[in-house]
Amino acid sequence: MEQKILELRQRARDAIKNVTADLKELDNIRVKILGKKGELTSLLRGMSQLSAEDRPKIGKIVNEARAELEALIASKNDELKAKELSNKLASEKIDVTLPGRQVVTGNLHPLTLTLNRIKEIFLDMGYTIEEGPEVETDYYNFEALNLPKDHPARDMQDSFYITEDILVRTQTSPVQARTMESHESNSPIRMIAPGRVYRRDDYDASHSPMFTQVEGLVIDKGIRFSDLKGTLEHLLKEIFGKNAKARLRPSFFPFTEPSTEVDVSCMMCHCHDENCKVCHGSGWLEILGAGMVHPDVLKMSGYDPKIVSGFAFGLGVERIAMLTYGVDDLRLFYDNDVRFLQQFK
Ligand code: PHE
């Protein structure tokens, strides 16, 4: 009997020592040995068969074994609990020195920013904003603008035709005719029409088959070329600042007479750098075409050139954006590379 108890005691010690992680495992051992039906408990029950003189001796041994094992279990229990807590603390640790997660916000495209600025300037002068379709009829894109079929000036704008009579507009000028038609004859108009236009062009640093224009049209009694000039000067000063220079060159458009093209001084190279991708060393960049509305254009849209006159202009938004932001390749506007776009926050 004594032998059995000592064996059990040793076995239990080893088992308790070997428990490494699990509190449940430790409890199983406790139940198996010290529980009501545990091994040590049933040994105790067997004591009734012992002789009277053996009983106190064995009883002492059993009690010692029980006391030791209980103490071992208690200290193992504390050890495991402490380990569990420190594991938990380690896995839930918050590193307050880590940099915060960046919230990515979008921003407006540089062409949108430029368009918004242009719109703002004209809205301040009392202009309305008109729209026209990008898929346009030959009539509005050309004929209503004094460009009958087979007119040689049609070659100035190589077009993408969809059918014989329908094309993607080569300019925003068709909105001039559409706006006049929607107005009562000879009533005043002061409008701009921003939008995309399409031409069969190369795709390089300064050309693109799709680009953006803002059309302008002012009609009223007594509108003169000096009104056009003053309006454009105001626009260019607002956009490029007081130091920007502008020059007007005589030009030709079938829908205006007289016509002009307007250049602004190149803000990329300043001193006529031959390698300047924007002005190629000329020091000037053409940004718009303009002129006094041709009498035939007024007539075709129901206005009477004997009563009213007007001016019109069409400006290139990409070119203005290139100069304002110092971008020397137009393709950057369409590549949608976030590294480029993010710079306009
Ligand atoms: N539509 C012309 C172009 O795209 C520009 C222009 C508009 C010229 C209005 C005169 C008047 O080249």
Side-chain angles (χ1 to χ4, degrees):
M1 181 98 186
E2 187 180 342
Q3 195 54 37
K4 265 193 188 163
I5 296 169
L6 291 177
E7 249 178 55
L8 175 62
R9 182 172 170 176
Q10 191 51 48
R11 225 177 347 109
R13 275 189 193 135
D14 292 344
I16 294 165
K17 210 168 94 199
N18 288 336
V19 176
T20 46
D22 209 335
L23 277 167
K24 223 189 204 157
E25 194 187 338
L26 184 66
D27 200 51
N28 286 342
I29 292 171
R30 186 188 60 76
V31 172
K32 210 170 138 227
I33 295 168
L34 305 174
K36 265 190 202 157
K37 289 179 186 159
E39 290 178 58
L40 194 65
T41 322
S42 44
L43 274 180
L44 264 176
R45 279 203 196 103
M47 278 195 16
S48 53
Q49 274 132 50
L50 291 177
S51 63
E53 75 229 52
D54 277 347
R55 238 180 256 171
K57 195 175 138 211
I58 299 294
K60 197 175 162 227
I61 297 172
V62 171
N63 283 336
E64 271 170 18
R66 169 178 282 274
E68 186 199 348
L69 294 176
E70 273 173 353
L72 280 177
I73 288 174
S75 82
K76 191 72 181 182
N77 193 56
D78 290 348
E79 186 191 312
L80 289 177
K81 273 203 171 139
K83 211 161 153 192
E84 205 174 64
L85 180 66
S86 75
N87 282 346
K88 201 172 169 196
L89 286 178
S91 70
E92 290 177 358
K93 196 163 98 179
I94 297 171
D95 183 352
V96 290
T97 65
L98 273 181
R101 265 189 213 138
Q102 215 186 332
V103 180
V104 186
T105 53
N107 55 280
L108 292 178
H109 191 279
L111 288 179
T112 308
L113 292 171
T114 308
L115 266 179
N116 286 351
R117 180 72 192 115
I118 295 170
K119 286 183 194 168
E120 207 175 76
I121 295 168
F122 282 105
L123 285 172
D124 280 351
M125 291 193 278
Y127 284 58
T128 60
I129 296 178
E130 306 293 339
E131 269 177 42
E134 282 176 38
V135 177
E136 189 51 283
T137 60
D138 183 275
Y139 175 78
Y140 284 113
N141 196 78
F142 289 128
E143 283 191 48
L145 296 166
N146 210 18
L147 272 148
K149 290 220 157 70
D150 306 321
H151 192 292
R154 284 193 179 207
D155 295 344
M156 284 165 77
Q157 302 174 356
D158 250 340
S159 322
F160 291 113
Y161 273 91
I162 293 166
T163 68
E164 216 171 290
D165 276 318
I166 296 174
L167 70 162
V168 277
R169 65 182 178 191
T170 59
Q171 49 189 352
T172 43
S173 302
V175 189
Q176 287 186 34
R178 286 180 176 276
T179 307
M180 282 189 267
E181 276 186 10
S182 71
H183 276 65
E184 204 183 307
S185 175
N186 299 328
S187 64
I189 293 175
R190 216 187 296 170
M191 68 93 176
I192 56 166
R196 292 203 176 107
V197 300
Y198 303 83
R199 291 182 199 177
R200 291 175 53 183
D201 236 334
D202 292 335
Y203 189 50
D204 59 32
S206 51
H207 296 88
S208 158
M210 182 208 80
F211 57 101
T212 321
Q213 286 189 329
V214 174
E215 191 77 12
L217 175 70
V218 171
I219 299 183
D220 209 336
K221 287 180 185 146
I223 297 289
R224 298 177 304 178
F225 195 89
S226 53
D227 297 315
L228 168 64
K229 200 170 166 230
T231 304
L232 295 178
E233 269 168 7
H234 172 72
L235 170 73
L236 298 179
K237 289 261 179 303
E238 285 289 313
I239 294 179
F240 298 114
K242 279 200 206 89
N243 295 328
K245 285 193 216 87
R247 74 176 182 192
L248 273 67
R249 283 180 288 108
S251 186
F252 171 79
F253 299 102
F255 32 90
T256 48
E257 179 61 33
S259 301
T260 179
E261 275 175 324
V262 178
D263 303 336
V264 288
S265 46
C266 179
M267 269 141 275
M268 294 294 289
C269 64
H270 291 291
C271 48
H272 300 210
D273 175 0
E274 252 176 66
N275 298 319
C276 176
K277 276 207 229 167
V278 174
C279 72
H280 305 288
S282 72
W284 297 98
L285 186 70
E286 182 205 319
I287 54 158
L288 67 90
M292 300 306 291
V293 182
H294 195 290
D296 287 349
V297 172
L298 290 172
K299 267 189 235 161
M300 266 183 280
S301 294
Y303 274 64
D304 185 347
K306 287 195 208 87
I307 300 172
V308 291
S309 57
F311 67 73
F313 57 85
L315 47 103
V317 177
E318 280 78 359
R319 293 193 164 180
I320 293 178
M322 285 168 93
L323 287 176
T324 13
Y325 296 118
V327 174
D328 66 2
D329 193 324
L330 177 122
R331 288 169 292 194
L332 286 166
F333 292 133
Y334 310 118
D335 286 349
N336 280 338
D337 184 331
V338 263
R339 289 168 303 180
F340 171 73
L341 297 176
Q342 269 171 351
Q343 297 174 52
F344 299 90
K345 282 209 170 134

